[in-house]
Amino acid sequence: MTDLSVMPPKKAIGPIQWMKRNLFSTWYNVVLTLVVAYLIVTSVGPLISWFFVDANFMGSDPKDCSGAGACWVFISQRLDFFIYGFYPGEQQWRVDLMFLLLAVAFVPQFIERFPGRKWLGLFGVVGLPVAGYILIPGGPFGLSEVESTKWGGLMLTLILAYIGIIASLPIGILLALGRRSEMPIIRGLCVVFIEVWRAVPLITVLFMASVMLPLFLPEGLNFEKLARALIGITLWQSAYMAEVIRGGLQAIPRGQYEAASALGLGYWRKMGLVVLPQALKLVIPGIVNTFISLFKDTTLVLIIGLLDILGTVQSTVTDPSWQNVAVEGYVFVAFCFWVFCFGISRYSQSLERKLDTGHKS
Amino acid sequence: MLNEASGIDAQSSPGGQQPAVKPDIIRIEGVHKWYGGFHVLKNLNLTVRQGEKIVICGPSGSGKSTFIRCINRLEEHQHGSIIVDDIELTDDVRQIDSVRRDVGMVFQHFNLFPHLTVLENCCLAPVWVKKIPRKEAESTAMEYLERVRIPDQANKYPGQLSGGQQQRVAIARALCMKPKIMLFDEPTSALDPEMIAEVLDVMIELAGSGMTMLCVTHEMGFAKTVADRVIFMDAGEIVEQAPPQEFFSNPKEPRAQKFLQQILQH
C-alpha cells in the first residue's frame, strides 16, 4: 500500500473523465463545445483539401493548376525571384553561401551541447556581416559587382532585419546608459534622440531617408537607397531598443551598483560586468519582441521601391499569365515570416532558461 | 568640541594592546552632509589607527550608515575632509577608485552578484581591477572561502545559498581585494537569528587577524568582544565615544543611556 500522506494526488482519470470535467460539465459548456466542434470540423476540412488534397504541386506553367486547390506551382516557379530578387542567376551561389553561413552560425544555437557553439554565435554576429559585405555586393576577389538595386526577395528582407537587429542592440545599450547618465549634456542628447526617433512612424523615416536626405546631402555624396534605408531603420530601432533596455537597467537594485563601486570597478566595468548582464537578461522578452516587430516592419521598404519578399510576391501575383494566385503568394510570405520569427522566439526562450540563475539579489 | 580627542583615545585604548605608535589610517575632520535641506551628518571628526576596531551604533536614522558609506564615497560629503590611507576623497575619480581598492565593504543585504557563481563573485574585482591572473585570483578566492568556511559552495549561485552563507561570501569577496580597511554596514540585521552567529564568528576571526574594521551594528555582544572603541551617533552627530566596557557600563550622555536602555531591555 502506498502511504497517502506522501503521495501527490493522482490527476484526473482517463480521457472520458477529462472530457466530462472540462468539456461537458454544465449545459452552457456542452453548447460551447458543440459549436466549437462544428466550426472546427467545417473549416479545417476545406482548409486541408485546399492546402494539400486539391492543391497542385507539380508542373511548370499556369495550365498545370486545376484551380480547385492551391496552386503551389506558382511558388515553385517563381521561387528564385522571391528569394533573390533580380540578383543575376549565375551569381546566386554567393547568396546561397550566405544562407549557409547564417544557418551554420545560428542553427547550432538551438542545440545545447553543440561544440564551439559560442564561437559560431560570435561568428554570426561579427563575421557574418563582414562576409556579407564582401560577398553580396561583390567587387573584391574578382567577384563581379551586383548593384543593390538588383537585390530583393527574402535575401533583402534578411539583410534589412539582420543589420537592423545587430546594429540597434549596441546603439540601444549606449543610448539607454546615456539616458541614465549623470552628465546632463549626454543625458539630454540621448533623451532628444530617443524621443524624436521613437515618435516618428517607420514609414516617415523611410520616406525621409529615400526622398529628403538626398536633397540635403551635397552633390556626389549620395549613397545608395538601401544604405539610407538601413541607416534609417537602425536608428529608429535603436531608440526603441534603448527604452526596452532602460527598463531593465531600472530594475537592477541600487545595491548592485553600490557593491560594484565598492569593489573599485569603474563605470564601464560596473556596467559591463555587473549591471548589463543582469539587466539584459531581465528584458530578453522585450528585446525579442522588438526584434520580431522589426523583422516584420522591414516589409515597409516596399514604399520606397525596395522589393523585399513581400514586394516580390506582390509584384508577381498581378502577373496576368497566372490567375488568382494572390492567396498562395501571401500564404508563402506569411509562412516565411513565421519560420524566422518563431525561430527567434524559441531561441529567446531557451536563452532565458539557460541564464536563469535563481533569485534576483 | 566632542571629537578632537583622538590623541587622548590613543592613551586610553583598552588594555593597551595597540602599540601607541600605530599610524592613523583614516582621518575625518569636520564632515557635514545634507540630503537636500536635511542635515544628516553634523561636524563629524574621527581618527582611526591601523588595526583598530570601531563599532558604530545609534538609533535608526542617526546617520551611521551614511557616515560609514562616506568613507568609500558611496555617499559624498559636502564639507570637511576624509583622508583614507593618505588619499583625500575628492571628486577625483582616480583617487576614489584607489581608495575603494583598499577599502572593503559588506552590506546589510549582501549585494552579491546573482548572475555569477560564488567563486566568480570573489574573482571579479581582483581580475578586472587589480589585473591579477584568473588562476591566481581563484586560488586566493578559495583561500578566503575556506576562511569563511564555505569552500564547498564555490560553484553555486548566490540564490542557492542561505542568508548567512551569502553574507560570508560577501565578506570573502571583499577580502579577496586584500583591503586595508573593512567597512560593515549592519552586516547581520537582514539575517535570520540562527544565522547571525556564523557571520559574527567570521568577523571576530577577522578582527583577530589585525584588520582595521569599522562596523555599524546593533550586536552589542560583538562590540564587547572585539571593539576598541564604541561610537554612539544620534541625529547626525557623534554623541559619545568610549571603549566598550566603559560605554556599556557607564554611558555618560543621556541619549546614549536611553538608547542602551532600549536595546538591552529584552
Side-chain angles (χ1 to χ4, degrees):
Chain A
M1 281 296 289
T2 48
D3 183 358
L4 273 179
S5 65
V6 295
M7 294 289 289
K10 284 241 163 63
K11 269 262 173 94
I13 324 101
I16 295 182
Q17 279 299 322
W18 181 90
M19 278 165 69
K20 245 187 193 167
R21 187 174 306 165
N22 293 293
L23 301 180
F24 301 103
S25 54
T26 58
W27 68 266
Y28 52 85
N29 270 353
V30 174
V31 172
L32 276 176
T33 303
L34 292 176
V35 169
V36 170
Y38 173 77
L39 287 176
I40 290 174
V41 170
T42 50
S43 63
V44 168
L47 271 181
I48 288 177
S49 53
W50 185 82
F51 268 93
F52 305 108
V53 183
D54 298 337
N56 301 97
F57 294 92
M58 311 298 279
S60 57
D61 69 280
K63 291 185 209 81
D64 292 320
C65 284
S66 62
C71 180
W72 299 124
V73 179
F74 165 69
I75 303 293
S76 63
Q77 283 305 300
R78 292 306 178 92
L79 198 58
D80 265 15
F81 184 52
F82 296 160
I83 291 178
Y84 308 102
F86 296 106
Y87 209 87
E90 72 280 10
Q91 299 295 330
Q92 286 173 1
W93 63 268
R94 281 148 56 172
V95 182
D96 293 337
L97 184 57
M98 285 308 296
F99 282 133
L100 182 72
L101 288 177
L102 188 75
V104 167
F106 290 108
V107 172
Q109 305 304 323
F110 292 92
I111 303 160
E112 195 65 37
R113 301 238 161 111
F114 201 88
R117 204 164 65 113
K118 269 188 190 156
W119 294 107
L120 287 173
L122 193 68
F123 167 77
V125 176
V126 181
L128 209 58
V130 177
Y133 187 73
I134 295 167
L135 270 175
I136 294 182
F141 307 117
L143 294 166
S144 62
E145 279 187 40
V146 181
E147 299 146 35
S148 67
T149 45
K150 291 186 176 161
W151 308 359
L154 180 64
M155 157 201 157
L156 184 67
T157 298
L158 287 177
I159 291 174
L160 289 166
Y162 191 79
I163 303 284
I165 285 171
I166 63 165
S168 66
L169 186 62
I171 300 176
I173 290 174
L174 290 179
L175 284 169
L177 291 176
R179 190 164 186 171
R180 285 173 57 79
S181 162
E182 280 161 17
M183 285 174 274
I185 294 177
I186 291 184
R187 188 175 55 226
L189 287 175
C190 290
V191 169
V192 169
F193 181 95
I194 291 170
E195 296 303 339
V196 166
W197 284 91
R198 206 163 53 126
V200 178
L202 183 57
I203 289 200
T204 324
V205 173
L206 290 171
F207 266 131
M208 296 278 270
S210 75
V211 182
M212 303 268 294
L213 203 60
L215 299 180
F216 297 128
L217 288 175
E219 200 74 28
L221 198 99
N222 197 359
F223 45 99
E224 295 162 349
K225 189 155 65 176
L226 177 62
R228 293 196 305 261
L230 266 175
I231 292 170
I233 288 177
T234 304
L235 294 181
W236 182 80
Q237 179 73 3
S238 22
Y240 270 93
M241 197 52 73
E243 287 298 279
V244 172
I245 291 165
R246 191 166 68 95
L249 291 175
Q250 278 172 346
I252 303 303
R254 233 174 69 132
Q256 292 290 309
Y257 293 85
E258 288 177 349
S261 298
L263 284 168
L265 294 166
Y267 178 81
W268 291 107
R269 293 202 180 110
K270 176 165 65 177
M271 291 302 167
L273 297 167
V274 176
V275 177
L276 278 172
Q278 296 182 58
L280 292 179
K281 187 180 83 181
L282 278 178
V283 293
I284 287 175
I287 292 177
V288 171
N289 205 22
T290 322
F291 281 171
I292 289 179
S293 86
L294 170 70
F295 197 97
K296 294 182 295 185
D297 284 346
T298 56
T299 49
L300 290 172
V301 295
L302 193 62
I303 57 135
I304 57 165
L306 294 173
L307 281 185
D308 73 328
I309 185 165
L310 182 62
T312 53
V313 170
Q314 189 127 320
S315 67
T316 332
V317 292
T318 52
D319 182 347
S321 60
W322 294 86
Q323 302 290 319
N324 303 324
V325 285
V327 178
E328 288 86 341
Y330 293 125
V331 166
F332 171 71
V333 173
F335 178 73
C336 290
F337 275 102
W338 182 82
V339 166
F340 283 98
C341 293
F342 186 66
I344 297 174
S345 158
R346 295 305 300 182
Y347 177 60
S348 83
Q349 283 171 30
S350 73
L351 199 62
E352 271 178 70
R353 273 193 300 277
K354 202 182 80 180
L355 296 180
D356 184 16
T357 59
H359 306 221
K360 281 187 47 183
S361 67
Chain B
M1 296 296 290
L2 266 173
N3 309 311
E4 285 170 356
S6 64
I8 301 164
D9 279 343
Q11 288 148 20
S12 63
S13 180
Q17 303 146 341
Q18 306 283 336
V21 286
K22 280 257 181 173
D24 294 341
I25 195 161
I26 302 175
R27 256 177 299 150
I28 295 165
E29 278 163 20
V31 164
H32 289 262
K33 177 173 175 63
W34 289 263
Y35 282 134
F38 179 59
H39 201 173
V40 260
L41 299 180
K42 298 171 191 160
N43 191 29
L44 299 183
N45 295 279
L46 177 71
T47 306
V48 180
R49 288 181 310 280
Q50 216 168 56
E52 208 176 356
K53 286 96 183 104
I54 291 180
V55 163
I56 303 169
C57 62
S60 90
S62 58
K64 10 180 235 306
S65 284
T66 309
F67 176 41
I68 202 173
R69 287 154 59 90
C70 282
I71 295 172
N72 64 353
R73 196 114 173 149
L74 286 183
E75 302 281 354
E76 215 172 295
H77 60 282
Q78 284 133 354
H79 190 268
S81 74
I82 298 179
I83 299 170
V84 180
D85 200 22
D86 293 328
I87 302 168
E88 173 154 17
L89 282 169
T90 58
D91 284 330
D92 188 334
V93 178
R94 273 165 307 164
Q95 295 195 351
I96 295 172
D97 283 344
S98 67
V99 165
R100 284 174 177 169
R101 272 195 285 275
D102 284 339
V103 179
M105 183 154 202
V106 175
F107 298 86
Q108 181 177 8
H109 296 288
F110 330 136
N111 296 352
L112 293 177
F113 305 133
H115 61 303
L116 300 176
T117 63
V118 164
L119 191 62
E120 288 166 342
N121 262 280
C122 292
C123 294
L124 190 76
V127 168
W128 288 94
V129 178
K130 285 193 157 178
K131 313 284 180 204
I132 292 170
R134 182 163 288 277
K135 280 263 165 59
E136 197 183 321
E138 281 180 5
S139 68
T140 313
M142 285 311 295
E143 268 169 47
Y144 282 113
L145 287 174
E146 250 154 70
R147 262 179 73 175
V148 301
R149 298 180 207 111
I150 34 175
D152 45 324
Q153 314 281 5
N155 292 313
K156 288 195 180 168
Y157 286 96
Q160 298 167 292
L161 305 185
S162 74
Q165 290 173 322
Q166 289 194 45
Q167 193 60 298
R168 286 183 284 148
V169 172
I171 294 172
R173 177 176 73 177
L175 291 175
C176 282
M177 287 293 281
K178 310 231 160 105
K180 295 178 180 161
I181 301 163
M182 284 285 280
L183 307 176
F184 294 86
D185 187 3
E186 307 209 25
T188 55
S189 37
L191 293 174
D192 291 334
E194 77 272 20
M195 291 170 183
I196 291 177
E198 63 188 55
V199 171
L200 289 179
D201 284 346
V202 166
M203 290 170 63
I204 290 167
E205 201 182 299
L206 183 64
S209 73
M211 176 69 73
T212 309
M213 288 165 68
L214 277 84
C215 185
V216 174
T217 184
H218 292 142
E219 297 297 333
M220 293 305 145
F222 172 78
K224 281 177 194 158
T225 327
V226 304
D228 296 312
R229 248 192 294 172
V230 174
I231 288 176
F232 175 73
M233 285 182 73
D234 188 26
E237 297 170 301
I238 295 182
V239 176
E240 179 163 351
Q241 49 178 319
Q245 295 84 345
E246 199 178 314
F247 177 76
F248 288 113
S249 55
N250 187 20
K252 290 183 195 67
E253 295 288 325
R255 278 187 283 182
Q257 290 165 0
K258 188 174 162 229
F259 174 74
L260 283 173
Q261 223 169 37
Q262 279 165 342
I263 62 165
L264 298 177
Q265 247 167 16
H266 302 287

